[in-house]
Amino acid sequence: MPEAQLDRFMFNVVIQYLSEDDEVTVVTQTTGTETRTPSRILSGPDILQFQELARQVVIAEEIARYTVRLVSASRPSKEGGAAGGFEFIEKWVKWGAGLRGSQAIVRGAKARALMHGRYHVSVKDVQALAKPILRHRIMTNFYAESERINSDVVIDRLIEAVPVPKSGM
């Protein structure tokens, strides 16, 4: 898919192969005569209510700024130098994440905070979601590919390099 279309997906989750035992379980359960009918767990209104609840989770301005700085740091400078950014971004990144990346991280971080029983976003929420949300939004260049550097490596470096707010944890 073109980058503009990939950007509309919130997550790019990497799924590993199943273990042999898990794969045998799936194979035997899906190739037999038994059919299962899925049961409804949530209704449409339930989902909308959860979405509204997640929107109400608080994010401190300093954590929102950290998120924006993390995402914007993924973009190479227009001049081609590392004056405003990081040298590794200039070296490895052809195209960085845009505004939708920041929005997706904040939305995901709010939902993650709720799932962990909190009503506020922490830096850890932002960092935990950086890879699945940004990996398909950061395009590495040929030089990075030749060094076997992918977007996950770039994101790890960004998390190390972008200063964390003092009260964000």
Side-chain angles (χ1 to χ4, degrees):
M1 291 178 105
E3 287 86 10
Q5 289 179 345
L6 286 175
D7 191 42
R8 284 162 175 77
F9 289 92
M10 186 169 180
F11 293 106
N12 178 341
V13 179
V14 176
I15 300 173
Q16 302 297 322
Y17 288 110
L18 296 173
S19 69
E20 182 177 331
D21 290 340
D22 289 341
E23 194 167 342
V24 167
T25 300
V26 171
V27 167
T28 57
Q29 287 181 354
T30 60
T31 60
T33 58
E34 183 181 340
T35 58
R36 295 184 180 183
T37 304
S39 59
R40 178 182 288 182
I41 297 172
L42 297 172
S43 67
D46 291 335
I47 293 170
L48 293 174
Q49 192 172 10
F50 283 123
Q51 287 176 338
E52 180 55 35
L53 181 62
R55 286 181 177 275
Q56 294 174 26
V57 172
V58 175
I59 182 166
E61 182 178 341
E62 63 186 4
I63 295 177
R65 285 188 183 281
Y66 170 73
T67 303
V68 168
R69 287 183 185 130
L70 185 69
V71 172
S72 64
S74 74
R75 305 172 197 145
S77 69
K78 292 182 176 105
E79 296 79 35
F86 298 108
E87 195 173 311
F88 67 93
I89 295 296
E90 302 301 325
K91 183 177 176 183
W92 294 331
V93 177
K94 177 171 44 174
W95 191 258
L99 171 62
R100 282 195 183 118
S102 298
Q103 291 171 317
I105 288 177
V106 169
R107 284 195 323 266
K110 287 180 172 198
R112 185 178 188 275
L114 274 179
M115 290 170 51
H116 286 87
R118 289 180 281 105
Y119 298 103
H120 66 280
V121 173
S122 74
V123 168
K124 287 190 185 290
D125 296 318
V126 171
Q127 292 174 338
L129 295 173
K131 279 186 191 175
I133 289 177
L134 297 178
R135 76 168 40 107
H136 61 294
R137 292 179 163 92
I138 297 174
M139 303 300 139
T140 54
N141 58 27
F142 179 76
Y143 187 75
E145 291 171 22
S146 72
E147 291 190 351
R148 290 188 161 70
I149 301 294
N150 62 21
S151 58
D152 282 6
V153 172
V154 171
I155 295 163
D156 283 338
R157 292 281 302 268
L158 283 169
I159 289 170
E160 291 172 15
V162 175
V164 175
K166 288 182 175 71
S167 63
M169 295 297 202

